[in-house]
Amino acid sequence: MLLKQNLFTGSETNKKVSSMNYYSYRLMIRENADNHILKCRRLYHKYVDDMYVKIETERLTFIRLNQTKLRSEEYIHLRDAINTDGNAQNVGRMTILPATYIGSPRHMHEYAQDAMSYVRHYGTADLFITFTCNPQWIEIKQELLPGKSSIDRHDITARVFRQKLKSLMNFIVKHNVFGETRCWMYSVEWQKRGLPHAHILIWLVEKIRPNEVDAVISAEIPNVQVDPGLHEVVIKNMIHGPCGTLNQNSPCMMDGKCSKRYPRTLISETITGNDGYPLYRRRSTADNGKSTIVKLNQQDIEIDNRWIVPYSPILSKTFKAHINVESCHSVKSIKYICKYVSKGSDMAVIEIGAENSNDEVTQYQMGRYVSSNEAVWRIFSFPIHERHPSVVHLAVHLENGQRVYSTAQNAVQRAAQPPSTILTSFFETCQNDDFAQTLLYSEMPKYYTWNQSSRRFIRRKQGKPVPGYTDVYSTDAIGRIYSVHPSNDECFYLRLLLVNVRGPTSFQQLRTVDGELCGSYREACQRLQLLENDAHWDQTLNDAVISSHTHQIRTLFSIIISTCFPSNPIDLWMKYKDYMCDDILYQIRNRMGNPNIQISEEIYNEALISIEDMCLIMSNKLLIQLGLTAPNRPMHDAFNQELHRERLYDLNALKE
């Protein structure tokens, strides 16, 4: 009514309307109405986006402003700083975005690692499901006002999709439509056009056998006479494109080819492809396959099974949406899928200058892309990730190397009395609990809960009773020990001991083998035969000394100790050090004019310096960090000066 009133306001408008015919008049009303709706829609989207962006900005600002007040530092570094000069002002790290912030890169990486923990315990997942919101759902349309569409009410879309997703998970997990479910996880993301979709991984107790895939997943057009309801859902939601030669402007086209590899090859039976994914049965029309007619650019096009996205008939017919179902039992595909499920939302393409290289909060903000649908979802506090069973993260740190949260006021007290960590509490539990002494570190969450307030492990009070022990119950909880890069050698070997040694009571006890305290965790791993034999690296160097130049042998040795992490690099050095010094000895003999000079510690030191220089280029690590003796740089300078002095002598005068 307001729009109609505006059209007839003013003499100019009256004259314009009076000169129109009926068709032009209706067309003008429609154009003005469409522009008005489009303007209101843009204002609505901008309002929703701005609301959540302000919420997220406040959260990120809190993290940035509290970097100096709530500092994270390894305990041993904090203690050393306090003991050195008593100054707590320079203790801390760069501006970090912690894993506790939902959607941060660290948060997504942790979920990917948790998914791989499921793979480690239960093997590869059975089903990979992508569930996409359907804006034509009756639950959405019946809540809209006349003339409105789902794009005008993202709150309704978010609420309905949330309920549909819960219903889908209950349908799979509780009603066991594919069989009993062992564990599951999903992540919610948003498409470019704004509609939410969920990536779901399902682990079943009874694995889907290759001859059972066709009973669960189909990639064919259903028979319209047998099941007209399923045929309608598949035709509306499960046809890809068409793209390629039929439609070069399709969004999936990249460099003239479909990025989703459609159209697929017609095949009479389901087989396993080279990439680990099954090649589903797609029969041709000559082999009893079906086809249908779809409209593309006002033209009728015949579509066969080559264009059908794999689906589950029971899920598609129940939820009437785009539900892509894939079998992902292959080891080749599971790592990619676990990362894909937890890759996070789309980010804008940006370039970070050097001034922001250490500010993770700024990097995250500059690349952040927020759609209206995601904004509503986050405002409602709907979960982005859910899973079962729970995964408990277990910290790994060296003795006096635990992470401490401190302020400038309590830094001295924290350094004197560091708080207990999950690892130190594990040691204490093993000292006082006989059952804990039978467990590995990663098995603790299955039988114990971590009490954050008291910072200690407590036996579970619910679950399955453990035979032979009173008041001990087990659950499905999984413990995941944080990964450590091999370049952080001592912490890496500590983690290796925690994975293999049951019931340790202290850091010293972990380094004790056959009643003898080892000097390092690496030595303890060697004596327990937990490290690989260096025979293959020994053979590699042995082959090299036969046919390679000396500098090539040094380069190969540098590559081995920098990137391959041999168990005992000192033994390799002692065995082949003479071969790595031949060219240095030859050069010195030529400079000195004395062919009788023999190899010495100074020459070995020159070779070590050359090797360390190459290791710094390759891995930015010193030899002392790679398990070798550090070279003597002052000896190198003195040796060069001695060579220079010897070369200043008049050899003819000395001979006379």
Side-chain angles (χ1 to χ4, degrees), residues 505-517:
T505 57
S506 64
F507 290 101
Q508 290 75 18
Q509 197 269 337
L510 274 175
R511 288 190 285 118
T512 302
V513 181
D514 297 331
E516 183 179 349
L517 182 64

Side-chain angles (χ1 to χ4, degrees), residues 416-485:
Q417 296 179 344
S420 298
T421 64
I422 295 181
L423 180 56
T424 57
S425 297
F426 169 59
F427 292 150
E428 294 174 3
T429 306
C430 292
Q431 294 172 5
N432 305 318
D433 193 324
D434 293 337
F435 178 73
Q437 295 178 5
T438 65
L439 301 178
L440 294 172
Y441 187 30
S442 59
E443 296 173 344
M444 284 294 287
K446 186 175 181 179
Y447 306 95
Y448 295 80
T449 59
W450 170 252
N451 190 304
Q452 185 65 33
S453 58
S454 62
R455 303 195 67 79
R456 64 188 182 92
F457 281 105
I458 300 175
R459 282 188 179 182
R460 292 188 178 273
K461 299 180 181 180
Q462 294 180 346
K464 298 179 181 179
V466 178
Y469 293 91
T470 58
D471 299 331
V472 178
Y473 300 92
S474 65
T475 62
D476 294 332
I478 296 174
R480 179 173 71 84
I481 305 177
Y482 281 117
S483 58
V484 179
H485 196 274

